[in-house]
Amino acid sequence: MRFLSSYHTDIGTRKKSNQDSLLLQQADTVFGPVLLAVVCDGLGGLEKGEVASATVVRAFSDWFQYFYPSLLKKGNIASELRDSWSQLTSTLNTSIADYGRRNGLGLGTTLEALLLAQGRYYIFHIGDCRVYKKERELLQLTKDQTFVQQQIDLGAMTREQAMQDPRKNTLLQCIGASQYIQPDFLEGSLAPGQDFLLCSDGFRHMVTPEEIAGALTPSSEYDERLMTEQLVRLTELDKLRGENDNITSIWVHVA
């Protein structure tokens, strides 16, 4: 089993800075290849969102380099991985909030982390970035932690109403601006032929699931250069249709 990967990030058409941050790291180990992908979307309505997102990405990069090797030797790591990431994000939530208070700033970020290792995938989710998986069809693995999604779950709002609601981007929690963090943790089996897409919310507002699924189905052999071109094409389509947020995506193919 091996991984092909690509990524793309774009400031968009109206923002003065790109508050998204991403991480894509791979390693060859005696237990097989491992990959960590992270997308963080700094809150556009707060100051210094790019500081918050970059801080979280750096912390996960350090975790992958210095802490993860000790977990790798243990095989089935789901519970320990969840505890490790929960502790890390709790620490980040406190430190980012403290930084904001000291400097009179409001800052925060969402988090989407995907780890592929030893025949399993693991997802850690805070906010409204998303992870999709494609095999025969495209599946949205994560659920948005937003006010409108909560209302849909409660039966108080339809998806059509949610798309038009002015509160559709209101988050229920994020790192640095929430008193408590309650991440979602998912895991599943890894197999050749699977594709994973991580994206900030700006990537998927203006394109349909069918268009995303089509882009993740190359007409020829998988190639990282062509994979990047597909992400760029969808990003430009987003912008053409009026998306004004930052736009970030990571695509991983399991070969």
Side-chain angles (χ1 to χ4, degrees):
M1 191 178 295
R2 63 190 180 94
F3 307 126
L4 300 177
S5 60
S6 62
Y7 67 90
H8 183 63
T9 187
D10 193 291
I11 192 172
T13 59
R14 296 187 185 178
K15 295 290 182 72
K16 295 181 180 179
S17 63
N18 191 341
Q19 296 185 315
D20 291 353
S21 296
L22 66 86
L23 171 69
L24 187 57
Q25 290 185 302
Q26 294 192 58
D28 291 320
T29 76
V30 294
F31 304 98
V34 296
L35 179 145
L36 175 66
V38 177
V39 170
C40 292
D41 182 356
L43 300 191
L46 299 179
E47 304 159 287
K48 299 294 183 180
E50 68 276 12
V51 173
S53 65
T55 298
V56 173
V57 159
R58 283 195 299 270
F60 269 78
S61 179
D62 289 343
W63 176 90
F64 187 71
Q65 183 173 357
Y66 299 112
F67 188 82
Y68 175 61
S70 64
L71 287 185
L72 186 62
K73 301 173 185 178
K74 298 182 179 181
N76 188 359
I77 61 169
S79 62
E80 292 183 72
L81 178 63
R82 181 174 189 169
D83 290 345
S84 177
W85 280 353
S86 294
Q87 182 177 4
L88 177 59
T89 52
S90 178
T91 300
L92 288 165
N93 188 51
T94 300
S95 63
I96 291 172
D98 288 345
Y99 173 86
R101 281 191 291 269
R102 290 195 306 270
N103 293 276
L105 300 171
L107 66 163
T109 182
T110 65
L111 166 67
E112 210 68 63
L114 170 71
L115 178 69
L116 308 181
Q118 295 177 283
R120 304 289 292 174
Y121 68 82
Y122 307 94
I123 296 169
F124 203 68
H125 169 70
I126 300 170
D128 64 347
C129 290
R130 289 181 180 177
V131 177
Y132 295 91
K133 182 180 74 167
K134 182 178 179 294
E135 289 180 272
R136 299 178 184 83
E137 59 182 359
L138 185 71
L139 298 174
Q140 180 184 330
L141 297 182
T142 56
K143 179 181 288 188
D144 300 340
Q145 296 176 342
T146 58
F147 171 79
V148 295
Q149 182 61 56
Q150 182 186 64
Q151 295 304 297
I152 292 171
D153 293 343
L154 293 172
M157 186 180 293
T158 66
R159 292 195 178 277
E160 291 71 22
Q161 290 171 328
M163 292 175 62
Q164 304 301 320
D165 195 284
R167 298 164 293 181
K168 64 183 179 182
N169 294 324
T170 301
L171 293 171
L172 298 180
Q173 61 176 345
C174 67
I175 300 172
S178 296
Q179 186 174 4
Y180 301 106
I181 296 294
Q182 294 182 306
D184 292 333
F185 183 80
L186 304 89
E187 62 170 313
S189 298
L190 201 60
Q194 293 174 336
D195 292 279
F196 293 88
L197 175 72
L198 290 77
C199 64
S200 61
D201 63 323
F203 180 85
R204 42 85 177 174
H205 284 153
M206 298 295 179
V207 294
T208 66
E210 292 76 19
E211 288 171 325
I212 294 174
L216 299 184
T217 308
S219 56
S220 57
E221 292 294 320
Y222 281 85
D223 176 272
E224 290 181 337
R225 179 182 60 83
L226 296 177
M227 291 166 66
T228 302
E229 289 178 358
Q230 289 288 68
L231 295 181
V232 172
R233 183 180 66 80
L234 284 180
T235 298
E236 292 303 312
L237 185 59
D238 273 325
K239 292 159 63 177
L240 183 65
R241 291 176 177 174
E243 178 58 55
N244 54 32
D245 200 356
N246 305 143
I247 304 169
T248 298
S249 55
I250 297 175
W251 177 5
V252 180
H253 175 69
V254 184

